[in-house]
Amino acid sequence: MAIRKIAQIGHPVLRTPARPVTHDELAGGAVQRLIDDLVDTMRDAGGAGIAANQVYEPVRICTIEVDRNPRYPYKPPIPLTVLVNPVLEPIGEEMFDLNEGCLSVPLRGDLQRRLRVRVTAWDRYGDTVVHEVAGLTAGTFQHEIDHLDGMLYIDRVTDSRTLTTWQEFDRHRGQAFAAEMAAFVERIGS
Ligand code: NI
């Protein structure tokens, strides 16, 4: 297991749609090591998730985990989840407002995400798992799956005036935003 270098915005690997992996590749040592490294790298960087193309491996694999994350103290816990070849379908039309950051982009910004989505993927053993998720958890799933399609959250930021550094976000919006998110999580349940 190892901590890998994280690609930063401007590197083409972040803008190239990642390719699906086969069952045989997934069972092999290289891809299993990559999954272990994604988990280590995500935890080391304090991310809520990470996609394989963020560590320069252009395959459709991402990991997600939230456990009292200091970068995102308002996010409800998500157990460690590995998504291989995920397919995302919206459930209903409803959207919600969110502010996101990314390990590959040194800013945060406001955007909208689908309130509810269904994600069908393999787990790391190649078994199909269906995740129906809502709210902030659904936002995290959408963010990571966007990476696999070569998209970054900034592509969804509709008002560039909401872009901030982490330090200025904490200074000027952190408390109010955490309170907004606490109320939202209370209402939606995730
Ligand atoms: Ni990201």
Side-chain angles (χ1 to χ4, degrees):
M1 307 223 288
I3 292 160
R4 304 234 191 154
K5 188 174 173 221
I6 300 174
Q8 295 299 299
I9 183 169
H11 195 290
V13 74
L14 295 172
R15 292 311 198 169
T16 309
R19 68 167 180 84
V21 295
T22 65
H23 252 119
D24 283 351
E25 279 179 302
L26 179 59
V31 170
Q32 289 296 317
R33 269 194 302 281
L34 168 63
I35 292 171
D36 288 338
D37 291 355
L38 284 171
V39 173
D40 282 356
T41 306
M42 168 179 74
R43 287 177 176 166
D44 178 70
I50 196 167
N53 48 344
Q54 286 183 278
V55 299
Y56 305 89
E57 298 277 0
V59 291
R60 297 187 76 79
I61 300 176
C62 59
T63 64
I64 293 170
E65 182 181 49
V66 177
D67 180 17
R68 293 182 300 277
N69 184 317
R71 268 166 74 90
Y72 303 103
Y74 47 83
K75 283 195 191 220
I78 306 174
L80 179 62
T81 304
V82 177
L83 301 175
V84 179
N85 300 337
V87 176
L88 184 142
E89 307 160 72
I91 302 174
E93 301 285 303
E94 209 178 331
M95 309 289 287
F96 73 103
D97 294 314
L98 186 55
N99 177 284
E100 290 186 6
C102 176
L103 296 174
S104 295
V105 182
L107 296 172
R108 301 182 58 134
D110 288 0
L111 69 161
Q112 290 203 315
R113 292 285 186 192
R114 300 271 183 181
L115 182 64
R116 294 175 199 283
V117 296
R118 181 182 302 113
V119 174
T120 306
W122 292 342
D123 64 15
R124 69 181 298 166
Y125 309 107
D127 293 321
T128 300
V129 181
V130 179
H131 303 265
E132 289 197 353
V133 285
L136 297 185
T137 298
T140 302
F141 274 65
Q142 288 166 82
H143 178 114
E144 299 313 327
I145 294 169
D146 270 356
H147 274 300
L148 301 178
D149 294 329
M151 277 194 77
L152 297 172
Y153 79 87
I154 49 165
D155 306 341
R156 298 190 185 276
V157 169
T158 48
D159 183 351
S160 58
R161 290 171 300 182
T162 66
L163 291 167
T164 63
T165 64
W166 281 75
Q167 191 183 37
E168 298 301 349
F169 182 85
D170 286 344
R171 195 174 286 166
H172 300 288
R173 279 187 69 193
Q175 262 188 326
F177 185 72
E180 263 172 61
M181 289 299 102
F184 175 81
V185 169
E186 182 80 31
R187 186 158 61 82
I188 301 299
S190 60

